[in-house]
């Protein structure tokens, strides 16, 4: 970026204070503008200034987060040119951006791959280039992620390359293959670009041509480094492995060398590249890797990017004044200027300063360019000098090695001459040793023959092993892993056989060569002996005889050596035949291996087709389940408007349990959906969760509609609409599951929201008497039982006081009646007290046997409905005892009615029955306390009956009955009395009917306040029976309005009236 060295103080003073948010907004804005200008649909090359701003942005934020946040929003599938320029900018960002850019790009590999796959399937000229470019970028990202020692710019010293390659041949081999692949994609992109540049587009100054050629600048930079690293690694491989093993590497390198040389030549001839990049020249022929000294002749290709000419920059880039920070001062300045006029001289000074700064920048830029060009020229000259000096050093090293070799040869010749001189002195002794050497030669021949026979036996064993291996291959065709293992064993054995054969052939050839050398040495020795003997003929006839014997022996040795040479030639022919047979067997084995590989490929393709079929079948099963679930939900939603469903009712408690179960089923459904999205081969979890969700949701909708029939109008309308919304949201969710595109984004948030709405409405419709915290239930049970016991004790005490008072104030029949009534009430209270104590003991037994490790309060809270029934029953017993005492007091004082005492007896008997029923719910049948409780219950009923009987008998004794004497009445008076009596009977019957209706309405209101909304057995919604006139049954408990009622766990609920 262009910058200015100093900014005037006046300009600095006009800058406003920037906050971090404002700076970030300005940075995002600048990046967005640069990205939109660099990546567009215009068929023109990317401007360097826009790409440079994007690269500087990555260094500013130490990553490519902002770049990718805007890049993923580009409409790449809509334009191939847009995708091509995106790849170009991404390539530049990878090469020159911050090092963290590589990690950011790794996270968006899928976006790059999708773009390449999309354009690869379309027959578009730019689309084919985009497909290849994306593959190159993916290979580049993968290589640098795997080898972080290489930066994306590929500029590392040779020491780092040596350290990365290491000393392990396998690592060097693998790194070389990866560099070959990397360079292949670079060259493939360049070839595709040049292939599209036909004769009509050959002019490189056209914008359409430059749009295609611009990315090749980065390709040239990458190729120069990749070529250098490949050459280094190839020389290192040839120093570790034999040349035959690396024949494939050499062929691949030669092909890439020709392609790269052709690419550099074409690019060098184009005018477009001449002003942007200095392309290096490659040697005429590729390096000779078989000659280690050729590494010194290799010259690293250097790419030079000349400093580009300054482009037109916007004025706002020279002086960084934030638009956001100066908006308010600018508005103030405009108002001031409109009122008083602009200040004198300020604007002119600033313009002059800007102009002077621009001139300074231009001068500095020109100087910088000159310095860079001179530095580049010096660098190239120094590199050339270094290369020439390295060549001279290598040449001097070669001459030194040659001189050393010549010196060694002269030393060997001198030693040979000395040995020849010594041999001439020992000529006579050698004649005697010739016989020994001849025998040694025969012994060596026999050993060679034995080794040859061993070689034949080894070859036969290898043939048998080869046959066994072939049988094993045919047997294990069904297992892919065993085939691979057998293939590796076979290749290893074949390689071992080859190596053993080669080693044995080399040993035999070495032995043959040694025999030949020894024979040649013997011949030379014999010739020297013959010459010495010819000179010594004058010494005497004995020496001549010895010489003739030696000649004879020499002829014998020659014949034996010739025979041995013939035998060796025949043995060599046999060995060659065995090698030919072995190579044929190896070819046959390789063909069989290829056939097995073909079969494995067929099996893998069949497995893929079966896997795809399984996925389709699983999706079909899911669709069928979704359709069934939709039918279930539609049927439930249809019942909201069904007139036949109006008479069906349900309780808020049952609706609450159904809605809670439906809400809990959404968790299993979400889990099954996540498992199916992760692995679409198994839809069992999602199908089961869908079935459960559909049934529970439909049950919630139906029971919500049934509950709304007994709810107030406002709550009923809200509940109906919420149930309808629940059905619609569930159907929308199921609709998303039917499409593969929307399957992954289907969510249950709306469904959970409406189910929670149903739960809230059901909670509002619950009876207010049940709004007790769960943790308070245990304490309330103990309090209510204690208060009931106290009420009974108080009632017994009051009855005793009334007994003593009646004895003091009354006498005769009244005293007898009062004593009998009060004694029966006292017996009833004692029976009730015994029942309450037995019920308390039974409850303690139930809690101790059922709570486990939990506390008593936790047990009562867990069984809240049973606990509420106990509380309601104990309240009813205490209230009944109090009412019985008050009624007895009024009867004794002659201020009450005997009927009140009878009704209270009935009510207290019903209340104790409710307490017994609530206690029996969770008790075991074999419990002793349960038997005692049942006996106490029967005793209470008997005592209540005694109270009723004593009350009725006392009432009959005290009331005076008038004698009916109608003898003195005339016919007309009797008729009149009869009519008056009929009128009074009709009035009493009408009053009785009205009181019965009133009693029914009172009981209805009592049930409504106690929380009864037509609850049936097991909480199922059934049509509520119509009230029957004239049949009025008393409820199981007589309690004050507002008190709770026994719940479903505490016994049967009261029937409908």
């Amino acid at each position: 970026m262009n910058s200015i060295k100093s900014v005037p103080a006046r300009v600095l003073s006009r800058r406003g204070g920037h906050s971090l948010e404002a700076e970030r907004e300005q940075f995002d804005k600048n990046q967005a503008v640069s990205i939109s200008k660099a990546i567009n649909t215009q068929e023109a090359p990317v401007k360097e200034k826009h790409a440079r701003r994007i690269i500087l942005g990555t260094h500013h934020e130490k990553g490519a987060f902002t770049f990718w946040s805007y890049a993923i929003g580009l409409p790449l599938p809509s334009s191939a040119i847009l995708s091509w320029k995106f790849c170009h900018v991404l390539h530049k960002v990878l090469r020159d951006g911050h090092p963290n850019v590589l990690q950011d790009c790794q996270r968006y590999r899928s976006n790059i791959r999708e773009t390449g796959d999309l354009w690869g399937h379309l027959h578009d000229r730019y689309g084919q280039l985009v497909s290849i470019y994306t593959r190159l970028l993916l290979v580049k990202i993968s290589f640098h992620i795997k080898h972080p020692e290489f930066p994306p710019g590929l500029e590392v010293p040779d020491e780092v390359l040596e350290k990365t390659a290491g000393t392990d041949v396998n690592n060097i081999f693998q790194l070389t293959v990866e560099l070959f692949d990397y360079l292949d994609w670079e060259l493939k992109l360049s070839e595709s670009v040049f292939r599209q540049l036909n004769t009509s587009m050959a002019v490189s100054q056209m914008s359409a041509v430059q749009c295609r050629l611009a990315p090749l600048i980065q390709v040239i930079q990458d190729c120069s480094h990749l070529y250098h690293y490949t050459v280094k690694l190839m020389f290192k491989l040839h120093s570790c492995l034999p040349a035959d093993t690396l024949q494939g590497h050499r062929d691949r390198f030669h092909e890439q060398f020709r392609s790269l040389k052709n690419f550099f030549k074409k690019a060098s001839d184009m005018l477009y590249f001449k002003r942007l990049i200095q392309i290096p020249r490659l040697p005429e022929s590729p390096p000779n890797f078989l000659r280690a000294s050729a590494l010194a002749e290799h010259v690293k290709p250097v790419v030079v990017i000349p400093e580009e000419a300054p482009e037109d920059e916007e004025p706002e880039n020279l002086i960084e004044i934030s638009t956001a920070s100066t908006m308010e001062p600018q508005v103030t300045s405009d108002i001031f200027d409109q009122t008083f006029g602009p200040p004198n001289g300020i604007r002119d000074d600033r313009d002059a300063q800007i102009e002077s700064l621009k001139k300074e920048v231009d001068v500095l830029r020109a100087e910088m360019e000159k310095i860079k060009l001179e530095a580049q020229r010096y660098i190239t000259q120094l590199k050339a000098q270094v290369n020439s000096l390295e060549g001279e050093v290598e040449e001097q090293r070669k001459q030194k090695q040659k001189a050393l070799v010549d010196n060694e040869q002269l030393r060997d010749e001198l030693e040979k001459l000395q040995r020849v001189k010594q041999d001439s002195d020992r000529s006579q002794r050698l004649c005697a040793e010739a016989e020994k050497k001849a025998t040694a030669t025969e012994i060596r021949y026999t050993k060679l023959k034995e080794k040859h026979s061993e070689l034949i036996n080894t070859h036969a064993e290898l043939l048998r092993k080869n046959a066994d291996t072939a049988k094993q291959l045919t047997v294990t065709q069904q297992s892919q892993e065993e085939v691979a293992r057998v293939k590796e064993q076979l290749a290893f054995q074949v390689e071992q056989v080859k190596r053993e054969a080669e080693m044995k052939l080399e040993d035999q050839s070495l032995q043959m060569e040694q025999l030949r050398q020894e024979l040649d040495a013997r011949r030379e020795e014999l010739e020297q002996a013959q010459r010495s003997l010819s000179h010594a003929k004058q010494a005497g006839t004995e020496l001549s005889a010895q010489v003739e014997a030696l000649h004879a022996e020499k002829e014998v040795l020659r014949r034996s050596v010739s025979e041995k040479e013939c035998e060796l030639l025949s043995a060599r022919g046999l060995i060659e035949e065995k090698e030919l047979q072995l190579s044929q067997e190896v070819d046959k084995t390789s063909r069989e291996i290829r056939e097995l590989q073909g079969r494995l490929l067929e099996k893998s393709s069949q497995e893929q087709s079966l896997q795809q079929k399984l996925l389709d079948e699983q999706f079909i099963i899911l669709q069928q389940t979704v359709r069934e679930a939709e039918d279930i939900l539609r049927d439930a939603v249809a019942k909201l408007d069904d007139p036949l469903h109006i008479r069906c009712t349900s309780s808020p408690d049952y609706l609450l349990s159904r809605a809670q179960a439906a809400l809990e089923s959404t968790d299993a459904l979400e889990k099954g959906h996540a498992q199916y999205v992760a692995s679409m081969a198994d839809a069992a979890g999602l199908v089961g969760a869908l079935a459960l969700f559909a049934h529970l949701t439909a049950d919630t909708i139906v029971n919500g509609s049934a509950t709304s029939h007994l709810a107030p109008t406002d709550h009923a309308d809200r509940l109906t609409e919420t149930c309808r919304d629940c059905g619609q949201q569930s159907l929308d969710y199921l609709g998303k599951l039917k499409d593969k595109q929307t399957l992954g984004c289907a969510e249950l948030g709306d469904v959970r929201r409406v189910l929670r709405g149903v739960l809230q409405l059901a909670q509002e419709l619950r009876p207010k008497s049940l709004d007790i915290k769960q943790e308070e239930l245990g304490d309330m049970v103990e309090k209510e039982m204690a208060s009931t016991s106290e009420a009974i004790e108080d009632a017994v005490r009051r009855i005793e006081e009334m007994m003593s008072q009646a004895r003091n104030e009354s006498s005769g029949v009244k005293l007898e009646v009062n004593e009998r009534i009060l004694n029966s009430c006292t017996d009833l209270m004692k029976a009730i007290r015994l029942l309450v104590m037995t019920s308390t003991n039974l409850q303690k037994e139930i809690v101790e046997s059922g709570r486990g490790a939990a506390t008593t309060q936790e047990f009562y809270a867990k069984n809240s409905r049973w606990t509420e029934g106990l509380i309601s029953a104990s309240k009813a017993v205490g209230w009944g005892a109090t009412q019985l005492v008050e009624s007895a007091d009024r009867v004794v004082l002659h201020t009450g009615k005997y009927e009140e005492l009878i009704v209270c007896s009935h009510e207290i008997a019903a209340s104790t029955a409710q307490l017994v029923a609530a206690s029996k719910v969770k008790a075991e049948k074999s419990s002793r306390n349960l038997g005692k409780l049942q006996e106490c219950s029967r005793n209470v009923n008997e005592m209540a009956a005694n109270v009723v009987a004593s009350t009725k008998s006392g009432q009959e004794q005290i009331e005076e009955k008038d004698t009916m004497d109608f003898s003195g009445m005339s016919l007309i008076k009797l008729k009149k009395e009869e009519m008056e009596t009929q009128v009074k009977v009709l009035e009493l019957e009408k009053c009785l009917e009205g009181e019965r209706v009133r009693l029914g309405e009172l009981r209805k209101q009592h049930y409504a306040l106690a929380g009864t909304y037509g609850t049936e057995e097991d909480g199922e919604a059934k049509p509520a029976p119509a009230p029957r006139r004239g049949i009025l049954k008393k409820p199981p408990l007589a309690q004050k309005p507002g008190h709770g009622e026994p719940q479903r766990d505490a016994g049967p609920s009261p029937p409908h009236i």
Side-chain angles (χ1 to χ4, degrees):
M1 290 289 291
N2 297 327
S3 60
I4 53 180
K5 293 183 178 179
S6 60
V7 181
R10 184 177 300 174
V11 177
L12 290 174
S13 64
R14 292 178 65 88
R15 292 184 179 179
H18 295 288
S19 63
L20 292 177
E21 292 80 4
E23 291 180 0
R24 182 64 189 179
E25 290 177 1
Q26 184 64 24
F27 172 75
D28 292 342
K29 180 180 178 182
N30 294 336
Q31 287 293 299
V33 171
S34 299
I35 292 172
S36 62
K37 289 182 179 180
I39 306 174
N40 51 43
T41 56
Q42 296 179 1
E43 195 172 7
V46 177
K47 288 188 177 181
E48 187 65 25
K49 63 179 181 180
H50 302 316
R52 186 168 63 250
R53 289 172 183 169
I54 296 171
I55 293 169
L56 289 177
T58 63
H59 288 279
H60 176 74
E61 66 173 356
K62 296 181 176 56
F65 176 77
T66 303
F67 171 75
W68 276 108
S69 63
Y70 289 105
I72 58 178
L74 295 173
L76 300 180
S78 62
S79 174
I81 299 176
L82 189 70
S83 301
W84 173 253
K85 298 177 81 171
F86 163 73
C87 294
H88 183 196
V89 173
L90 180 59
H91 197 172
K92 292 176 74 68
V93 169
L94 277 172
R95 280 189 54 85
D96 303 328
H98 194 271
N100 294 336
V101 170
L102 186 62
Q103 298 295 333
D104 294 337
C105 294
Q106 174 69 11
R107 289 193 287 270
Y108 293 92
R109 285 176 57 90
S110 58
N111 300 79
I112 302 173
R113 185 183 295 106
E114 289 175 1
T115 302
D117 295 341
L118 171 66
W119 289 110
H121 295 301
L122 301 177
H123 298 287
D124 185 84
R125 296 175 67 84
Y126 271 104
Q128 299 300 321
L129 295 179
V130 170
S131 177
I132 298 173
Y133 209 163
T134 54
R135 293 294 298 274
L136 169 60
L137 293 175
L138 291 174
V139 171
K140 185 179 184 69
I141 294 171
S142 300
F143 178 81
H144 294 292
I145 288 291
K146 184 176 181 181
H147 302 286
E149 299 85 1
F150 292 91
L154 288 171
E155 293 183 3
V156 294
D158 293 342
E159 292 79 7
V160 176
L161 178 64
E162 293 289 338
K163 183 178 179 182
T164 303
T167 57
D168 190 358
V169 180
N170 296 324
N171 292 339
I172 302 172
F173 194 92
Q174 181 64 28
L175 182 59
T176 307
V177 172
E178 293 175 359
L179 289 175
F180 278 151
D181 297 337
Y182 198 165
L183 187 57
D184 277 339
W185 283 106
E186 299 275 2
L187 295 174
K188 188 177 295 185
L189 177 62
S190 63
E191 292 173 358
S192 301
V193 171
F194 282 122
R195 193 182 303 115
Q196 289 193 10
L197 297 179
N198 50 24
T199 56
S200 61
M201 300 175 65
V203 181
S204 63
Q205 298 302 315
M206 297 173 59
S207 61
V209 177
Q210 292 180 359
C211 185
R212 287 178 169 86
L213 293 177
L216 297 186
I217 296 175
Q218 284 71 41
V219 174
I220 293 171
Q221 291 176 316
D222 289 346
C223 288
S224 63
H225 294 292
L226 292 174
Y227 169 76
H228 174 65
Y229 301 151
T230 305
V231 172
K232 288 281 188 180
L233 292 177
M234 284 291 289
F235 274 110
K236 193 166 186 177
L237 279 177
H238 280 78
S239 65
C240 302
L241 296 175
D244 296 338
T245 307
L246 299 173
Q247 182 63 42
H249 274 50
R250 288 197 300 275
D251 296 339
R252 188 174 182 184
F253 176 83
H254 292 163
E255 183 178 356
Q256 288 184 350
F257 178 83
R258 289 191 294 271
S259 301
L260 184 61
K261 186 175 179 62
N262 188 21
F263 169 42
F264 281 2
K265 184 177 182 303
K266 288 182 180 179
S268 301
D269 295 338
M270 288 189 172
L271 184 61
Y272 175 71
F273 291 110
K274 290 183 178 180
R275 66 182 183 85
L276 296 176
I277 187 172
Q278 182 178 345
I279 301 173
R281 291 182 176 274
L282 297 181
E284 294 298 329
S285 58
N288 186 8
F289 300 111
L290 301 178
R291 186 167 54 89
S293 60
L295 178 60
E297 301 173 1
H298 169 67
V299 179
K300 179 180 179 180
V302 179
V303 177
V304 179
I305 303 294
E307 184 69 22
E308 65 273 7
E311 299 177 356
D312 295 334
E313 298 286 344
E314 287 80 5
E316 62 271 15
N317 290 333
L318 291 173
I319 302 175
E320 298 177 353
I321 301 176
S322 175
T323 305
S325 61
T326 58
M327 186 178 295
E328 186 176 355
Q330 184 177 358
V331 173
T332 306
S333 177
D334 292 342
I335 296 173
F336 183 85
D337 293 344
Q338 291 176 3
T339 305
F340 301 98
N344 295 325
I346 295 178
R347 189 176 303 277
D348 295 338
D349 293 340
R350 187 175 63 181
D351 293 340
Q353 290 174 358
I354 292 173
E355 291 296 331
S356 63
L357 291 173
K358 284 184 178 180
K359 291 179 181 179
E360 291 179 3
V361 168
D362 294 337
V363 172
L364 293 173
R365 188 180 296 165
E367 293 178 356
M368 183 65 69
E369 290 176 358
K370 291 179 181 179
I371 293 171
K372 285 184 178 180
L373 291 175
E374 291 178 359
Q376 192 65 40
R377 186 166 58 253
Y378 290 152
I379 289 170
T380 53
Q381 291 176 359
L382 291 174
K383 286 183 178 180
Q385 292 178 3
V386 168
N387 291 332
S388 62
L389 291 174
E390 288 179 352
E392 292 177 358
V393 170
E394 185 64 27
E395 188 66 27
Q396 290 179 1
R397 189 182 295 115
K398 291 179 184 178
Q399 292 178 1
K400 181 180 179 181
Q401 291 178 355
K402 187 176 181 181
L404 291 174
V405 171
D406 293 340
N407 190 10
E408 191 66 28
Q409 290 178 356
L410 292 174
R411 189 178 297 168
D412 293 338
E413 290 178 358
L414 180 60
E415 291 178 355
K416 288 180 181 179
L417 292 174
Q418 291 177 356
R419 285 196 299 270
V420 169
K421 185 177 180 180
Q422 292 175 1
D423 290 340
S424 63
D425 298 333
R426 295 194 304 268
S427 58
Q428 293 180 359
R429 286 178 295 176
L430 289 175
C431 293
E433 293 174 358
E435 291 183 55
K436 296 179 182 180
K437 291 181 179 180
T439 55
T441 304
E442 290 179 358
I443 292 171
R444 289 178 181 175
Y445 175 73
T446 56
K447 290 182 180 180
L448 182 61
K449 198 170 184 180
E450 290 174 358
K451 289 182 180 179
H452 178 65
S453 62
E454 289 178 359
L455 180 61
I456 293 173
N457 294 331
T458 304
H459 182 67
E461 289 178 0
L462 291 175
L463 290 177
R464 285 194 298 273
K465 290 181 181 180
N466 191 12
D468 295 336
T469 305
K471 291 179 182 179
Q472 292 177 2
L473 286 173
T474 56
V475 171
T476 59
Q477 289 179 357
Q478 297 179 356
S479 176
Q480 181 177 0
E481 295 179 355
E482 291 184 2
V483 167
R485 181 174 54 80
V486 170
K487 181 176 69 175
E488 292 176 357
Q489 290 178 357
L490 183 59
F492 178 78
Q493 290 178 359
V494 170
E495 187 68 20
Q496 190 174 5
V497 168
K498 285 184 177 180
R499 291 179 180 176
E500 290 177 358
E502 291 176 357
M503 291 173 63
K504 290 182 179 180
L505 287 175
E506 289 176 358
D507 293 336
Q508 291 178 359
S509 61
L510 289 174
Q511 291 177 0
M512 289 291 297
E513 188 66 28
Q514 289 177 0
L515 290 173
R516 288 179 181 175
Q517 291 178 359
E518 290 177 358
L519 290 174
D520 292 338
R522 301 290 90 69
R523 288 173 182 174
E524 292 176 357
E525 291 173 357
L526 291 173
E527 289 176 358
Q528 291 177 0
Q530 186 177 3
R531 287 195 298 270
S532 62
L533 289 173
S534 62
H535 291 295
K537 283 182 179 180
Q538 299 176 0
T541 56
E542 294 179 359
L543 293 176
S544 63
Q546 292 177 358
V547 170
E548 290 176 359
L550 289 174
H551 278 293
E553 290 177 359
K554 184 177 68 172
E555 292 297 330
V556 173
L557 288 174
R558 283 180 179 178
R559 286 193 296 270
S560 63
V561 169
S562 62
E563 291 175 359
K564 289 177 181 180
E565 287 179 352
C566 294
E567 292 177 357
L568 288 174
L569 290 174
S570 62
R572 184 177 294 176
L574 290 173
I575 291 171
E576 291 177 354
E577 291 178 0
K578 298 299 181 182
E579 287 181 351
L580 180 60
Q581 293 178 0
L582 184 61
S583 63
Q584 292 176 357
E585 293 293 335
V586 171
D587 294 338
K588 183 179 178 181
T589 306
S590 61
R591 286 194 300 272
E592 292 176 354
I593 291 172
R594 285 195 293 272
E595 291 177 358
L596 290 174
Q597 289 177 350
R599 293 178 183 176
L600 287 176
L601 291 175
E602 292 178 0
K603 286 186 178 180
S604 62
S605 61
Q606 291 177 359
E607 289 178 358
Q608 291 177 359
S609 62
L610 290 175
Q611 185 71 17
Q612 185 62 35
K613 185 177 180 181
L614 176 61
L615 294 177
D616 296 339
E617 290 177 354
Q618 292 291 323
F619 187 72
I620 291 171
I621 292 172
L622 177 61
Q623 298 309 305
Q624 293 176 354
T625 306
V626 169
R627 285 194 290 270
E628 291 294 332
E630 287 180 342
D631 295 339
I632 293 171
L633 290 173
R634 289 194 184 98
D635 181 67
V637 173
K639 288 183 180 179
L640 294 174
D641 301 325
D642 190 358
L644 299 177
H645 191 257
I646 294 176
R647 295 182 62 83
C648 296
T649 59
S650 180
S651 67
D653 290 332
Y654 187 68
L655 174 60
L656 192 65
S657 64
R658 294 294 87 195
Q660 185 65 36
L663 186 60
E664 291 174 356
S665 68
T666 57
D667 297 334
L669 180 59
E670 187 174 15
K671 183 178 179 181
H673 178 261
Q675 291 177 355
Y676 181 71
V677 171
S679 175
M680 302 186 73
D682 184 13
L686 182 57
V687 169
L690 271 176
L692 179 62
F693 168 74
H695 285 289
L696 291 177
T697 306
D699 196 10
T700 302
I701 294 171
V702 172
N703 282 280
S705 176
T707 305
S708 67
H709 296 157
L710 290 178
T713 305
D714 187 17
H715 287 78
D717 294 340
R718 288 167 55 194
L719 184 58
T720 303
E721 290 301 324
T722 305
C723 292
R724 184 176 283 107
D725 190 15
C726 178
Q728 186 60 41
Q729 294 296 337
S730 301
L731 291 173
D732 293 343
Y733 173 74
L734 295 176
K736 292 181 180 179
L737 295 181
K738 295 170 67 177
D739 191 359
K740 288 186 178 180
Q741 295 181 354
T742 60
L743 177 63
C745 62
E747 295 181 355
L748 287 165
D750 296 335
V751 179
R752 288 195 179 101
R753 177 180 55 78
V754 293
L755 284 175
R756 291 191 183 98
V758 174
L759 278 172
Q760 183 178 0
L761 290 174
Q763 190 69 33
E764 292 177 1
L765 291 174
R766 290 187 69 194
K768 299 300 183 292
S769 61
L770 301 180
D771 295 339
I772 303 173
K773 294 183 179 180
Q774 298 287 332
E775 57 271 11
E776 298 177 359
L777 290 175
D779 297 335
M780 287 189 65
V781 171
E782 297 178 357
K783 290 179 181 179
E784 290 298 331
M785 296 301 292
S787 62
T788 302
S789 299
E790 291 176 0
I792 293 171
E793 294 289 343
D794 185 44
V796 171
R797 187 171 54 256
R798 288 183 61 187
I799 291 173
E800 292 178 352
E801 292 175 357
M802 286 187 290
M803 180 74 73
S804 61
Q805 184 179 1
R807 288 172 181 171
N808 295 328
E809 296 180 356
S810 60
S811 61
V813 176
K814 289 185 179 180
L815 179 59
E816 181 183 355
V817 170
N818 290 337
E819 286 181 350
R820 187 165 59 246
I821 291 173
L822 292 176
N823 288 330
S824 62
C825 290
T826 301
D827 295 337
L828 178 60
M829 289 296 107
K830 291 180 180 179
I832 292 173
R833 181 174 61 184
L834 183 60
L835 183 139
V836 170
M837 293 173 61
T838 309
S839 176
T840 303
N841 295 332
L842 180 60
Q843 290 173 20
K844 291 180 179 178
E845 180 183 346
I846 292 170
V847 171
E848 290 299 327
S849 62
R851 69 186 179 90
T855 62
T856 304
Q857 285 75 13
E858 291 176 353
F859 177 80
Y860 281 124
K862 181 179 179 182
N863 301 274
S864 59
R865 298 178 67 84
W866 176 70
T867 306
E868 290 172 358
L870 288 176
I871 294 171
S872 177
S874 62
K875 285 183 178 180
V877 172
W879 181 74
T882 304
Q883 292 298 321
L884 179 64
V885 172
E886 292 177 355
S887 299
D889 189 15
R890 287 194 294 270
V891 168
V892 171
L893 297 175
H894 304 289
T895 58
K897 298 179 180 179
Y898 288 97
E899 287 79 4
E900 293 180 2
L901 196 58
I902 294 172
V903 170
C904 287
S905 299
H906 288 304
E907 291 297 331
I908 200 167
S911 300
T912 54
Q914 179 188 359
L915 181 61
V916 171
S919 301
K920 286 171 60 178
V921 170
K922 292 189 177 293
E924 297 181 357
K925 293 182 179 180
S926 61
S927 176
R928 295 178 59 187
N929 289 324
L930 178 61
K932 292 181 181 180
L933 183 65
Q934 292 175 347
E935 291 180 3
C936 293
S937 177
R938 288 192 291 269
N939 190 17
V940 168
N941 291 332
E942 292 176 0
M943 294 299 103
N946 291 336
V947 172
V948 174
S950 61
T951 301
K952 288 183 178 180
S953 64
Q955 184 180 9
E956 290 176 356
Q957 289 181 3
I958 292 177
E959 290 181 352
E960 296 179 356
K961 296 188 177 179
D962 297 333
T963 58
M964 296 182 183
D965 186 11
F966 304 111
S967 59
M969 291 185 182
S970 62
L971 180 63
I972 295 174
K973 193 173 182 180
L974 287 172
K975 189 66 174 176
K976 184 178 179 182
E977 289 292 334
E978 180 182 355
M979 291 178 63
E980 290 178 355
T981 303
Q982 288 180 356
V983 170
K984 191 176 292 186
V985 167
L986 291 176
E987 288 177 353
L988 292 173
E989 287 180 350
K990 184 177 180 182
C991 183
L992 177 62
E993 185 68 23
E995 291 298 325
R996 284 177 175 172
V997 172
R998 185 170 178 270
L999 179 60
E1001 294 298 328
L1002 288 174
R1003 285 179 174 174
K1004 282 185 180 180
Q1005 184 65 22
H1006 167 73
Y1007 295 150
L1009 292 176
T1012 303
Y1013 282 89
T1015 305
E1016 297 294 336
E1017 186 178 0
D1018 295 335
E1020 296 181 356
K1022 296 182 180 179
R1028 292 178 292 177
R1029 298 178 62 84
I1031 303 177
L1032 298 176
K1033 297 181 180 180
K1034 67 182 184 66
L1037 60 93
Q1039 58 186 13
K1040 293 181 180 180
H1043 288 274
E1045 65 160 337
Q1047 298 300 318
R1048 183 174 55 191
D1049 293 344
S1053 60
H1056 289 285
I1057 299 174

